[in-house]
Each structure stands twice: as C-alpha cells, then as structure tokens.
Amino acid sequence: MSFIRQTAPVLPTPAAGTFRQVVESFVLLAVAVLLFRGFAAEGFMISTGSMAPTLLGYHRRVVCPDCGFEFARGASEEASDTEAIARDKYDIGFEEPSDIRCPNCSLTAIPFSTLPRTEGDQLLVHKHAYEFRDPRRWEVIVFRNPAEPREAYVKRVAGLPGEQIEIRGGEVFANGVLCRKPLDVQRAIKVPFARFVNRTSGADTDVQSGWQTAESRSRWSISGKNPAFDGLAGPTQIETEWLTYRHWIRAGGRHSSSVPLARWPVKLSFPEGEYSSIQFAEGRLACVGVLSDLERRTWLARCDDPEFQLAINQLFEQSHLAPLVDESGYNSVDEIGEHTVDEFFTSFTLHQVSGQGRIEIRLRDSTNMFAAVLDFGSRECRLLRNDDPIPVRQCTWKPDLPTDQIQVDFSLFDNQATLAINGAPALEPFPYEAEGEPLPVRMPLQLGAANLSFQVTNLTLARDVYYVSKAEKDAPPVQLGPDEFFVLGDNSPVSVDSRVWAEPAVPRRALIGKPLVVHLPSNSRRLQWNGQNHDVRVPDFSRARVVR
C-alpha cells in the first residue's frame, strides 16, 4: 500500500507573483474599459478650438517671456506637419507673423510656431446620459451633425425645446428672459485676461503694471511675487486702502481716447492725414489706439506750450488704459472682436488673516459697482451696490471661516452678483438690471482692506463669454421645436454653431451623450535624438478634469 503525503503547495516567488498580479490587473482593466466604452461610454478627441478655453483643440502652450502668463494658443493640425518636417530636415523653425499677444501684459511678437504642438482634449462621453432626461441649459453635449452624421460636434446647450432663443448684446435670452449661468458653469467658461504680476516700468514707459496702489505710503506691498497687506502695524487705520487693477496695454488697440485742449498751438503745424497719430477738433485732442512714448516725446519736442504738453501727457496715459474687449489668447489677433465686455470674475486666496478689520472686493460693470465685504470683526459678509450703504445681501459666517486660507470667488456674470467662499456660495446670488448709460470699463477691480494683515495668492481676473450674433446686427430670434436644442461654442468669435447653421436647431435624435471627463491627457515635449528634434507625448495629469 502506498501512501501519498500531502505537502504544502509550492508558492511562486514574491517577484513572480507581483509581476503576474500587475499583468492580470492591466488585462482586467483593459477588458473593463473596453466593455465600458462599448456599452456605456465612448471616447472623442477635440480637434478645433470652438470650445476653448473649456475644451482645447490642437494647440500650443505659450508662456509669455515677459510676465510669465501661461495660455493655450490654437494650432492647426495641417500646418504642424509642415513645420515638423522643416524643423527636422532643415533644422529651422517657422516664425509666424507676430499675431500672438499675451492677454496679461499685451506683449506681441511672441514666438509661436517653434513651440511643440499638443493634441486636443480627449473626452470620455456617457452615451446613455440623455435616455431618461433632456440636456439642461449650459450643459456640454456631444451630438452628430444632422447634415453629416459621420461628424461629431461638442457644444454647450443654450436653448431648450419649445423656447424662442435670441442673442442680444452678447447675452442669451430665452423667451425674452436673460439666461444666467450658475457658479460652476461660470468657473468653467470664464476667459482669464489678468493675473497679478510684480513688474516695474523701467526705461520703457509704455510698459507699466496694471496693478497700482493709490497711496504713496500704502500698507499694500506689491513688490514681491504676491501682494500682501499689513494694516496692523503703526497707528490704527481709519480709511480703506486700495489695490486697483487698470487695464494698461503697451501698444495697439482700436479704442478712441481724447482729452481737453482749448486751442491748437499757433506755431505748431496742424496734424493732417490718416498717418497722423493724433487729431484735434472742437477743443479735444484725440487718438485711436495707444499713443506710444516715442510719439509722445516727438510731439513734446516740437512744442513747448504748457497746455499742449499737459494734454499730450494726459492723452498718453489715457490711451494706454484700454476698455476690456472679447480678446482671447487662444485666437489670433485678426480673430479678436471689437466688442467691449463688462462681466468679470475675480478669484484669489487669502492666507494668514489676522485682525478684526475688513476686506472689500469691488467689481464694476458698465453701469454698476458691487462690493463684497468680508468683516472679520462682526463675522459678517455683505454685498453692497453702488454707493448705497444698505446691503442687498447679508449673512453671518457659519461656521467661522478658517483664517489660515480662504478662497474667494466674486463675479458679475449675466447681470448677477455671485460670491463664493471656499468653493461654496456665501450669499444668495443677486440678479439686477443695468442702470444708466453704459460706459467702457477700464478699471474693473479694486481690492481694499483696513485693520487686517494677510497675503494674497493666485489673484486673477477673467471675463464672461461674449456671444457674437454672427450678423451685422443682432440676429432674429430662433423658435425651437419640441425636440430641438440651440447650441453655442464657448469660443464665440470662431465657433460654428446654431448661430450660423442653415438649420440652427439640433434634434434630440442627434444627441450622442454627455462628456464626463477629459481623460488620457498629454502634452508635447521636444527631444533631440541623433541631431534631430522629435516631439513626443508625455502624460499631463494636470489637464485631467471633469467637464462642466
């Protein structure tokens, strides 16, 4: 009789087991992704810039060599192939015309074509999102072009079934009512144009900081990387001290500026012709665009009349303060509209707040000024309109704000004042109507403080999308059927959408689904190998995000 002894099983070595587990995990993950994509989701890649900056098509990442502001600039897929061949074969770079302008400091002639090209955002789209409900207003959707079903588009829903949609003054109206964006959509759709940067004018007086303090001995410190305020040192502070953003551009512009001048100097030749930088008529000295420092010094050298010299210096200053327009770093200068904008969004983070004073954030549109006051003495938050001391909104902080770090978002989008603290609404949004004659906005933001000490980081300004009607005048209203949607691209100047299609409505049957996330993000990096330049894709998980 033979006996068989049961022995302990032979276990694989730890290294072999770990390797096998990793391989099996990847295989199972791949199978799960394939099943998920086959039945519940589908991947799409953005190729155009019609939804920028929310979703990016082929683009290049630009870092301004002067102020360090980083922004995406649209790039064509076709041109990049030619550029790559030329770089690799002939070791040269294409220098495009200087149509790249930094939104933050207005520097032009930024090298562009030599930067690596990055592919567009890749979307994971939930294909069954709209089987049991319709898309909501301001949701991003993917749908098939009704005229060419093989083409898939991604746009934002602006009009719902049965509504009459009209674009007027850059806004969307449904059945005559202004459509206002919720805070999460505002954050996704805003177009940044300014960030606090410490800079000095130097020898070139055309280049000046947009951030200024009014007082010569201000308690604001703006000489470092980030602004700081110390209202606790020295005597008790009574008046609020302000840090102001003024939209200073160094050159160009299409705006008009004028200053008073009683008479033209007798001994000075009168400016004539279209090539003259200034014009004089009816007691006003005027120019279009920026009056450069070179032109200013030229006119000052030609005439020593005190009144004329004062007017020239005033015109120099005023012409550099340009109205805000629907400009985007993603588009070329030729694609910049001439529409003035007045709906702004500011965000920043407060650090190490101490004291019992207050912080006041003032935002202006073309007819109103709103102030959000954070009072650390009374632990109150107040929203004031214009010069009225009675708040239109008010609340007590519950729970008390942590003073080590406070994130603040304040906006005036769609004629509505919205304030958020640490990501959550602090007050009920306040809708309002425009009052008085609209004026171009050149100084949209002031940040004031009294009897506090704190630091500020990530101080930025952005604007709302200005929806261009794509017609010489505001386009007539569009009546939607019971199964139709009106869609718009976030990059309004260049987007092809319901504003221009012969059949503007998107039928419900054309819907593909709802984009969930930007996944598998990557950026291009340039490497040299065997004497040649090669653009390679490397993961960039900072671009992975939920689509809002």
Side-chain angles (χ1 to χ4, degrees):
M1 181 179 293
S2 299
F3 293 91
I4 300 176
R5 180 179 295 180
Q6 186 177 11
T7 60
V10 179
L11 299 177
T13 62
T18 302
F19 177 76
R20 180 176 178 179
Q21 290 176 0
V22 170
V23 172
E24 289 177 347
S25 298
F26 273 107
V27 171
L28 292 174
L29 178 61
V31 172
V33 169
L34 290 174
L35 290 174
F36 181 69
R37 294 185 62 174
F39 294 98
E42 188 173 353
F44 291 86
M45 188 176 74
I46 307 295
S47 59
T48 71
S50 67
M51 283 293 291
T54 307
L55 299 171
L56 303 179
Y58 290 97
H59 65 280
R60 291 182 169 90
R61 303 300 304 182
V62 181
V63 178
C64 177
D66 193 8
C67 70
F69 189 76
E70 183 176 350
F71 58 99
R73 170 66 163 83
S76 65
E77 181 180 6
E78 294 79 6
S80 63
D81 295 332
T82 304
E83 295 162 7
I85 294 172
R87 284 197 307 266
D88 295 339
K89 186 174 182 179
Y90 302 108
D91 193 27
I92 62 173
F94 277 69
E95 291 294 335
E96 288 190 350
S98 56
D99 64 343
I100 309 301
R101 180 162 61 202
C102 174
N104 187 52
C105 71
S106 68
L107 177 69
T108 57
I110 301 175
F112 168 68
S113 297
T114 54
L115 298 174
R117 183 184 64 108
T118 297
E119 292 189 354
D121 288 333
Q122 298 188 63
L123 303 180
L124 194 61
V125 178
H126 183 6
K127 296 190 294 185
H128 304 302
Y130 302 125
E131 288 186 357
F132 302 103
R133 71 168 179 89
D134 278 347
R136 302 183 181 97
R137 195 185 321 276
W138 305 123
E139 272 192 325
V140 179
I141 64 171
V142 176
F143 58 95
R144 299 200 181 279
N145 180 359
E148 184 55 61
R150 291 176 298 179
E151 296 179 353
Y153 288 170
V154 56
K155 305 290 179 185
R156 194 178 294 273
V157 174
L160 303 177
E163 292 181 335
Q164 187 180 73
I165 300 299
E166 184 179 7
I167 296 177
R168 187 170 69 245
E171 306 280 17
V172 177
F173 292 81
N175 299 330
V177 178
L178 175 62
C179 299
R180 294 184 166 97
K181 306 176 191 70
L183 182 60
D184 60 337
V185 175
Q186 293 183 28
R187 290 191 179 112
I189 210 171
K190 60 186 173 68
V191 183
F193 65 84
R195 186 195 68 190
F196 178 83
V197 175
N198 172 29
R199 60 185 304 116
T200 56
S201 301
D204 187 355
T205 55
D206 285 324
V207 182
Q208 296 188 22
S209 173
W211 304 90
Q212 285 197 338
T213 58
E215 297 80 7
S216 58
R217 300 180 63 181
S218 174
R219 302 181 192 226
W220 280 101
S221 173
I222 57 175
S223 59
K225 182 179 180 181
N226 294 300
F229 185 80
D230 188 0
L232 300 180
T236 302
Q237 183 183 356
I238 300 177
E239 299 294 332
T240 301
E241 294 189 12
W242 299 97
L243 173 64
T244 301
Y245 173 77
R246 53 180 195 157
H247 189 56
W248 179 280
I249 64 173
R250 65 179 73 195
R254 301 167 183 169
H255 58 287
S256 298
S257 305
S258 68
V259 296
L261 178 62
R263 58 178 178 80
W264 185 260
V266 177
K267 297 181 180 180
L268 184 63
S269 300
F270 195 78
E272 295 180 347
E274 59 180 323
Y275 298 105
S276 175
S277 57
I278 62 175
Q279 300 293 326
F280 177 76
E282 300 179 353
R284 305 290 297 184
L285 188 65
C287 69
V288 175
V290 165
L291 179 69
S292 70
D293 183 54
L294 176 61
E295 294 171 309
R296 177 182 67 140
R297 288 186 282 108
T298 299
W299 283 106
L300 292 177
R302 293 176 61 184
C303 180
D304 59 359
D305 180 274
E307 292 185 3
F308 177 77
Q309 292 205 342
L310 176 62
I312 285 290
N313 286 325
Q314 290 176 337
L315 187 61
F316 168 80
E317 289 283 337
Q318 188 177 120
S319 69
H320 280 279
L321 296 180
L324 274 299
V325 297
D326 55 337
E327 177 178 357
S328 170
Y330 195 90
N331 302 331
S332 69
V333 173
D334 293 337
E335 294 167 335
I336 294 173
E338 299 181 5
H339 307 93
T340 57
V341 296
D342 67 344
E343 300 181 352
F344 304 111
F345 187 115
T346 185
S347 61
F348 55 88
T349 304
L350 300 171
H351 298 270
Q352 306 303 323
V353 181
S354 60
Q356 300 297 308
R358 66 187 182 276
I359 295 174
E360 185 171 338
I361 311 112
R362 289 182 176 178
L363 272 183
R364 302 176 187 272
D365 64 15
S366 58
T367 62
N368 286 270
M369 186 277 291
F370 281 88
V373 180
L374 307 182
D375 194 322
F376 289 82
S378 62
R379 315 300 291 176
E380 287 183 336
C381 180
R382 299 186 293 273
L383 181 65
L384 307 174
R385 183 180 187 181
N386 297 325
D387 297 322
D388 191 345
I390 301 176
V392 296
R393 293 282 189 269
Q394 186 172 3
C395 75
T396 302
W397 296 334
K398 295 179 181 180
D400 287 348
L401 280 179
T403 56
D404 56 337
Q405 183 169 308
I406 304 172
Q407 172 65 35
V408 179
D409 296 319
F410 186 33
S411 73
L412 298 183
F413 279 16
D414 307 317
N415 284 0
Q416 179 172 264
T418 305
L419 176 67
I421 304 295
N422 290 338
L427 298 168
E428 181 183 352
F430 179 76
Y432 62 92
E433 299 295 332
E435 292 183 353
E437 184 69 22
L439 298 173
V441 181
R442 291 176 167 86
M443 293 185 287
L445 172 67
Q446 286 184 297
L447 187 59
N451 300 313
L452 285 176
S453 175
F454 57 86
Q455 292 183 334
V456 182
T457 61
N458 301 319
L459 176 55
T460 60
L461 260 171
R463 64 168 177 86
D464 194 6
V465 174
Y466 186 99
Y467 292 107
V468 184
S469 66
K470 296 285 189 178
E472 294 183 1
K473 297 182 179 180
D474 288 333
V478 174
Q479 180 63 53
L480 298 174
D483 293 306
E484 294 179 334
F485 300 87
F486 191 93
V487 297
L488 296 170
D490 290 353
N491 192 356
S492 188
V494 302
S495 176
V496 177
D497 47 41
S498 290
R499 297 168 298 165
V500 297
W501 293 330
E503 298 294 333
V506 175
R508 182 180 281 107
R509 66 177 183 275
L511 299 180
I512 294 177
K514 173 182 172 59
L516 298 177
V517 295
V518 174
H519 73 129
L520 302 178
S522 65
N523 275 333
S524 292
R525 294 290 185 269
R526 185 157 298 157
L527 301 178
Q528 284 192 341
W529 183 261
N530 290 333
Q532 293 184 335
N533 292 324
H534 300 273
D535 290 344
V536 298
R537 294 178 62 187
V538 297
D540 180 11
F541 296 107
S542 64
R543 286 177 56 195
R545 60 195 183 276
V546 176
V547 178
R548 302 290 187 186

